[in-house]
Structures are given as C-alpha cells and as structure tokens.
C-alpha cells in the first residue's frame, strides 16, 4: 500500500509542472514577452534603404550655374557653288536698231555732210562697207569714194562712234547736174557681204531749210576716226 502511494506523488508533481509551463506559454502569447523583445531587441523586419537623392550641381556662392548652350547642329548640305560667269555676247552688225545716227553739215570741206553713228546697244557692232544714203525722193543711192576704204572693218564698242562724210554737190558746179534741195534723208546699213542692207533705215534730221544736192553726190566708207571721214 505504501509503495503505490510513493509512486503516485512524483507523477502528480510532474503533471503540475507541465501545467505551470503551459500557463506561462499562454501568457507569452498574450504579448508580455513579445513586448519585451520588441522594446529591447533589434527589429527583425528588413527595411529597404531609401534611394539617395540625385546630386545637385552647385556653383560658386551656392548658385546654380547657367545651362551650357547646346552645340549647333552641323550643316546638312554644302553651300551652293557660285554661278559660272556667262560668256560675253558675240559682236553683231551695226544697224538702225542698235545705233543712233546724226547728220550735220560741215563748213570744211564745203558742201559736205557728216554722218555720225553711235553704238547704243549692249554689245560691239561692226560698220560694214559704206552707208547707202537716199535723199528726198531719189530712187538710187550715190557711189562710194573707193580710195577712202579703211584697212579694217570699223568696230564700235557700246557708246563708241563711227563716221562717214557725204559729198553733196560739186564745189564749182561744173560736174553737177540735176541740182535740188533735199529735206529728208534715210541711211541704210550694209551686212558683212557689203551688198544689200540689214534692218530698217535710220532717219537723221536735216537742217530745216534742207541741203542742196546734185548728181555728183558720193559718200566715203565708214571710218573709225572723225579726221579720216572729213579728209575726203
């Protein structure tokens, strides 16, 4: 009987200890130990580090420097090449359309009329041969003085002038016939061949009283200088 009693007590004590341990664990679940762990131990939660703020460039005296200007974009195309100079226009034939003709009586030699032709065009022109002149209602043109032919064709640059003289009548009246007074004049220009005429005729004015002409009427070739024209 005593033996059974001695075995039962240790078991009872052990059961009591287990119950006490379970009670203590229940208290821990209520938060007492958890609060201590939270207040005294390091946090077990992993916190991601905050991203560092982008650095701000600060200039002298704490001022932000001015923005750096952008580099200009390179040219996408090469500059246009300068236009090649145009070739000068070729010389042409002097005629009424590109010249001005003036007729003026000469005191010396007497009974002579000076024709002055000025190039009014933009290019050089050539005075070929001699002028074909027609006074009033004449149906023919006077002949040329053969000895007055120049060695080269008369060349007129823009603004330059060429000359010819007209022997209107005989000075002594012995060789002249069919004398008359002319109040109008037409001057025709010859082409490179020397025959025929090119373009319309020029109509230079004559003195108001007209000029006296007879059948001895003749002309010189076109001359480069005034002196050559008046020497016949």
């Amino acid at each position: 009987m005593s033996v059974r009693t001695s075995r039962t007590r240790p078991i009872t004590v052990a059961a009591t200890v287990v119950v006490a341990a379970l009670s203590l664990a229940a208290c821990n679940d209520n938060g007492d130990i958890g609060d201590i762990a939270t207040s005294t131990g390091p946090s077990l939660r992993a916190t991601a580090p905050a991203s560092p703020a982008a650095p701000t460039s600060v200039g002298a005296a704490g001022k932000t420097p001015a923005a750096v200007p952008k580099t200009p974009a390179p040219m996408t195309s090469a500059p246009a090449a300068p236009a090649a100079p145009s070739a000068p226009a070729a010389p042409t034939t002097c005629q009424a359309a590109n010249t001005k003709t003036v007729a003026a009586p000469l005191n010396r030699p007497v009974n002579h009329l000076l024709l002055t032709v000025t190039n009014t065009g933009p290019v050089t022109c050539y005075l070929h041969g001699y002028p074909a002149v027609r006074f009033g209602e004449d149906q023919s043109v006077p002949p040329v003085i053969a000895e007055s032919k120049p060695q080269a064709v008369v060349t007129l640059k823009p603004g330059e002038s060429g000359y010819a003289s007209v022997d209107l009548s005989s000075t002594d009246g012995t060789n002249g016939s069919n004398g008359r007074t002319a109040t109008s004049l037409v001057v025709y220009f010859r082409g490179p061949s020397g025959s025929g005429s090119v373009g319309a005729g020029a109509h230079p004015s004559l003195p108001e009283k007209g000029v006296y002409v007879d059948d001895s009427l003749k002309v010189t070739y076109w001359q480069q200088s005034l002196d050559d024209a008046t020497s016949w």
Side-chain angles (χ1 to χ4, degrees):
M1 185 69 178
S2 59
V3 172
R4 181 181 299 176
T5 301
S6 61
R7 289 180 178 179
T8 303
R9 288 182 64 186
I11 294 172
T12 302
V13 174
T16 302
V17 173
V18 171
V19 172
L22 293 174
S23 298
L24 181 59
C27 290
N28 289 338
D29 291 339
N30 289 336
D32 295 339
I33 295 177
D35 293 341
I36 294 173
T38 302
S39 61
T40 60
S43 175
L44 298 180
R45 296 179 181 179
T47 304
S51 300
T56 303
S57 176
V58 180
K63 296 182 180 180
T64 302
V68 177
K70 295 182 179 180
T71 302
M75 296 181 63
T76 57
S77 60
S86 57
T92 186
T93 298
C94 298
Q95 52 188 295
N98 58 12
T99 61
K100 179 181 179 181
T101 303
V102 176
L106 292 173
N107 292 326
R108 295 183 62 183
V110 295
N111 298 344
H112 278 66
L113 187 72
L114 177 68
L115 299 179
T116 302
V117 174
T118 303
N119 182 357
T120 58
V123 299
T124 297
C125 70
Y126 297 130
L127 278 173
H128 296 285
Y130 58 93
V133 298
R134 179 171 293 173
F135 287 91
E137 301 299 324
D138 291 354
Q139 299 300 311
S140 61
V141 297
V144 64
I145 302 172
E147 296 83 355
S148 66
K149 187 175 182 178
Q151 294 182 349
V153 175
V154 176
T155 303
L156 302 182
K157 294 180 180 179
E160 292 184 342
S161 299
Y163 310 91
S165 65
V166 182
D167 190 347
L168 297 173
S169 61
S170 174
T171 56
D172 57 10
T174 57
N175 296 326
S177 60
N178 194 24
R180 62 217 179 261
T181 299
T183 58
S184 64
L185 171 64
V186 182
V187 178
Y188 295 95
F189 297 85
R190 299 181 185 276
S193 66
S195 62
S197 61
V198 293
H203 296 262
S205 299
L206 293 177
E208 185 177 0
K209 64 180 182 179
V211 293
Y212 180 82
V213 298
D214 61 25
D215 289 346
S216 64
L217 188 67
K218 50 188 175 292
V219 299
T220 68
Y221 279 93
W222 291 112
Q223 307 292 328
Q224 197 76 54
S225 71
L226 176 62
D227 289 341
D228 289 340
T230 59
S231 63
W232 301 95

